[in-house]
């Protein structure tokens, strides 16, 4: 029923379908707008609630696209009226596609859906990437190789160190330790408000002089086995660091609190703006009666910047419970979202080519082709290209408009935060160049592909 647009006796039915489609599109638009309004604040959102809001917004986008479906035959007719100045082959192709709307509208609708999906995905992917980039926090200094010794066993750490030395001979290795206990260990910097230090490294960085040099990036940093060092990009004055710790008791649910210990401390400027840590010498931990155990092996990037090939070789040779990581900053997942867009574009292109082929089915095509410059090969190729390109143009125009509406609205619920420390929403650049390339390049590509086969003379 929807695709019987060309018949005059169905004019009333066509109008009803347009009205129902418009109403459906309005409902979908309202759903997305309400969800976007409900998620525009930079506050903590519940995981389950956020997931439901995202699903509701996606359903609203689906309703919006479905509502645009009945407008495809109407758009074919509108575009056909503006072909007077085009070549006869293109003009006849546009008329043929519009006249055969019962066959061309379904694949054009698929082209519209896939185009809308591709544009929406591009906008949402850019928004998510911008938000993730703003919230990214490096796990180490830029370029540092970190081997995570999850077992905490000294033998495993020695084996990992041997692997690193074999791949990077002569490169010094810093070791980060952790108190081997079942109780609690923490620290406090007196008279200094360092929320990043206290939340990110509540147990501090425990190690020797090599680890301190790694944190500061300066080999001349003073080192004393009884002095803590606050490594921070801020201008601070620190005199004391207080250590708090407890030990397990015979009761599994209880811990024995031990007296806190204050040790002298100094503040040192860090070379990396993201390094905001408290360094505790290993000897201090031993003096507390605790037994430090290795948790990380680190190659200082000031000494050697590990390449990807070196990281892969080290990672392959490490035993179970250990992994190698190189801090390279935020990595944009361009390949992932580009693959999804490419798949959507391929489906949209295939549907448009089907629509172009179905436009000329039957005996009417013979009569049309005979009128195009006596059926010359060039005219026949232009006619085939025009049918495919015109079908694609109709689908991509509707799909691009739908995607440009759905994408910004869907970006709000997609970028909500479930963390208690909420990162404010950041602005992002809409990929207009990519959207324009899709909207203009896809019809041209469809026309070129349709014109490649040798045309058959009617």
């Amino acid at each position: 029923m929807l695709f019987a647009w060309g018949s005059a006796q169905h004019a009333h039915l066509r109008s009803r379908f347009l009205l129902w489609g418009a109403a459906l599109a309005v409902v979908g638009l309202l759903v997305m707008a309400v969800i976007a309004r409900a998620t525009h604040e930079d506050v903590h959102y519940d995981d389950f609630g956020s997931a439901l809001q995202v699903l509701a917004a996606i359903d609203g986008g689906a309703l919006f696209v479905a509502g645009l479906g009945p407008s495809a035959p109407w758009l074919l007719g509108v575009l056909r009226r503006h072909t007077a100045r085009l070549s006869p082959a293109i003009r006849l192709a546009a008329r043929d596609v519009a006249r055969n709307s019962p066959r061309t509208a379904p694949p054009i609708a698929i082209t519209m859906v896939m185009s809308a999906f591709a544009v929406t995905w591009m906008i949402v992917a850019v928004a998510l990437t911008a938000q993730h980039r703003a919230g990214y926090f490096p796990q180490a200094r830029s370029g540092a190789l970190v081997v995570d010794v999850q077992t905490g066993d000294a033998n495993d750490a020695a084996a990992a160190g041997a692997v690193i030395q074999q791949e990077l001979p002569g490169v010094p290795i810093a070791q980060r330790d952790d108190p081997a206990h079942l109780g609690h260990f923490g620290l406090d910097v007196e008279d200094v408000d360092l929320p990043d230090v206290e939340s990110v490294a509540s147990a501090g960085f425990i190690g020797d002089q090599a680890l301190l040099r790694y944190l500061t990036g300066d080999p001349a940093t003073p080192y004393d086995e009884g002095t803590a060092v606050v490594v921070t990009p801020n201008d601070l004055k620190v005199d004391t660091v207080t250590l708090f710790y407890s030990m397990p008791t015979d009761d599994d649910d209880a811990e024995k609190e031990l007296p806190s210990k204050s040790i002298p401390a100094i503040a040192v400027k860090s070379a990396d703006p993201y390094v905001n840590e408290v360094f505790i010498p290993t000897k201090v931990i031993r003096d507390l009666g605790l037994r430090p155990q290795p948790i990380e092996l680190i190659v200082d990037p000031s000494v050697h910047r590990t390449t990807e090939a070196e990281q892969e070789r080290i990672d392959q040779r490490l035993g179970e419970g250990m992994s190698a990581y190189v801090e390279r900053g935020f990595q944009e997942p361009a390949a992932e979202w580009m693959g999804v867009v490419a798949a959507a574009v391929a489906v949209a292109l295939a549907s448009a080519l089907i629509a172009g082929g179905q436009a000329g089915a039957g005996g009417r095509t013979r009569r049309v082709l005979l009128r195009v410059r006596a059926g010359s090969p060039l005219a026949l190729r232009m006619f085939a290209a025009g049918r495919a390109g015109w079908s694609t143009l109709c689908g991509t125009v509707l799909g691009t408009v739908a995607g440009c509406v759905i994408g910004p609205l869907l970006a709000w619920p997609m970028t909500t935060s479930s963390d208690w420390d909420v990162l404010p929403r950041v602005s992002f650049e809409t990929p207009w160049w990519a959207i324009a390339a899709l909207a203009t390049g896809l019809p041209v590509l469809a026309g070129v592909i349709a014109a490649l086969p040798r045309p058959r003379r009617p």
Side-chain angles (χ1 to χ4, degrees):
M1 292 185 297
L2 174 62
F3 309 114
W5 189 270
S7 303
Q9 63 269 28
H10 293 97
H12 179 66
L13 186 61
R14 295 197 303 266
S15 300
R16 291 187 61 183
F17 273 115
L18 273 177
L19 291 176
W20 279 107
L24 194 62
V26 170
V27 171
L29 182 61
L30 289 177
V31 170
M32 291 187 294
V34 169
I35 298 298
R37 181 68 179 84
T39 57
H40 79 284
E41 294 185 4
D42 296 329
V43 296
H44 166 76
Y45 291 89
D46 178 68
D47 287 338
F48 182 72
S50 297
L52 291 180
Q53 289 174 327
V54 170
L55 290 177
I58 293 175
D59 291 339
L63 291 176
F64 183 75
V65 174
L68 294 180
S71 60
W74 169 80
L75 183 60
L76 285 174
V78 172
L79 293 177
R80 188 189 65 175
R81 300 190 194 104
H82 296 79
T83 59
R85 297 183 179 181
L86 300 179
S87 65
I90 302 299
R91 188 166 61 249
L92 289 173
R95 192 174 85 177
D96 197 43
V97 172
R99 185 170 50 193
N100 289 276
S101 59
R103 290 191 296 266
T104 59
I108 288 177
I110 297 177
T111 300
M112 177 194 68
V113 172
M114 290 295 102
S115 300
F117 175 78
V119 173
T120 301
W121 186 267
M122 285 190 288
I123 295 175
V124 172
V126 171
L128 287 173
T129 300
Q131 194 67 22
H132 292 161
R133 183 190 298 110
Y136 178 78
F137 191 85
Q139 302 301 310
R141 280 183 55 196
S142 178
L145 169 68
V146 180
V147 175
D148 186 11
V149 185
Q150 300 175 4
T151 60
D153 186 82
N155 294 328
D156 291 342
V163 170
I164 297 175
Q165 287 292 348
Q166 291 175 3
E167 293 294 336
L168 308 175
V171 174
I173 302 173
Q175 178 176 303
R176 180 186 178 186
D177 297 326
D178 184 64
H181 62 91
L182 299 177
H184 171 74
F185 181 86
L187 57 85
D188 180 55
V189 183
E190 296 182 4
D191 300 327
V192 174
D193 184 16
L194 288 176
D196 293 337
V197 169
E198 295 175 358
S199 63
V200 175
S202 59
F205 261 62
I206 302 171
D208 56 8
Q209 187 175 8
L211 183 64
L212 177 59
R213 289 178 175 177
Y214 156 73
L215 290 174
T216 62
D218 183 8
T221 302
Y223 171 77
D224 182 86
E225 290 185 341
T227 302
V229 181
V230 178
V231 185
T232 173
N234 305 315
D235 293 326
L236 299 174
K237 182 179 180 181
V238 178
D239 297 323
T240 306
V241 170
T242 304
L243 308 180
F244 304 92
Y245 61 104
S246 61
M247 298 295 290
T249 62
D250 295 337
D251 187 356
D252 294 337
D253 296 330
E255 296 179 359
K256 180 182 179 182
E257 291 289 341
L258 298 176
S260 61
K261 181 178 178 58
S262 296
I263 60 175
I266 62 173
V268 175
K269 201 81 168 180
S270 62
D272 193 320
Y274 288 101
V275 176
N276 200 23
E277 314 287 1
V278 179
F279 170 78
I280 306 296
T282 303
K283 185 177 182 301
V284 172
I285 303 302
R286 289 197 180 100
D287 292 342
L288 294 177
L290 304 176
R291 181 174 55 86
Q293 62 183 13
I295 58 172
E296 288 179 351
L297 299 180
I298 305 173
V299 174
D300 192 339
S302 302
V303 178
H304 177 81
R305 299 187 71 89
T306 307
T307 64
E308 293 186 10
E310 292 171 339
Q311 175 195 352
E312 292 178 0
R313 291 196 299 267
I314 292 173
D315 203 14
Q316 291 174 357
R317 297 183 57 182
L318 291 174
E320 296 183 1
M322 292 183 288
S323 60
Y325 167 76
V326 176
E327 177 58 57
R328 295 189 175 90
F330 178 76
Q331 303 295 315
E332 296 188 9
E336 298 178 3
W337 70 268
M338 286 298 294
V340 176
V341 172
V345 168
V347 175
L349 181 61
S351 300
L353 291 174
I354 292 174
Q358 289 183 346
R364 181 172 296 182
T365 303
R366 293 176 176 270
R367 294 192 297 271
V368 173
L369 293 177
L370 288 173
R371 293 174 55 189
V372 181
R373 296 182 182 180
S376 66
L378 178 60
L380 295 176
R381 289 182 184 273
M382 291 183 63
F383 183 79
R387 290 188 310 189
W390 210 256
S391 302
T392 312
L393 179 64
C394 180
T396 53
V397 166
L398 292 174
T400 301
V401 171
C404 289
V405 173
I406 299 172
L409 293 176
L410 195 59
W412 286 105
M414 292 289 288
T415 56
T416 56
S417 174
S418 59
D419 298 332
W420 290 107
D421 295 330
V422 179
L423 177 71
R425 233 75 66 97
V426 298
S427 60
F428 63 93
E429 294 292 336
T430 303
W432 293 118
W433 286 108
I435 295 173
L438 173 66
T440 58
L442 200 58
V444 174
L445 180 60
V448 171
I449 294 176
L452 288 178
R454 184 175 182 180
R456 293 179 299 175
R457 291 179 177 274

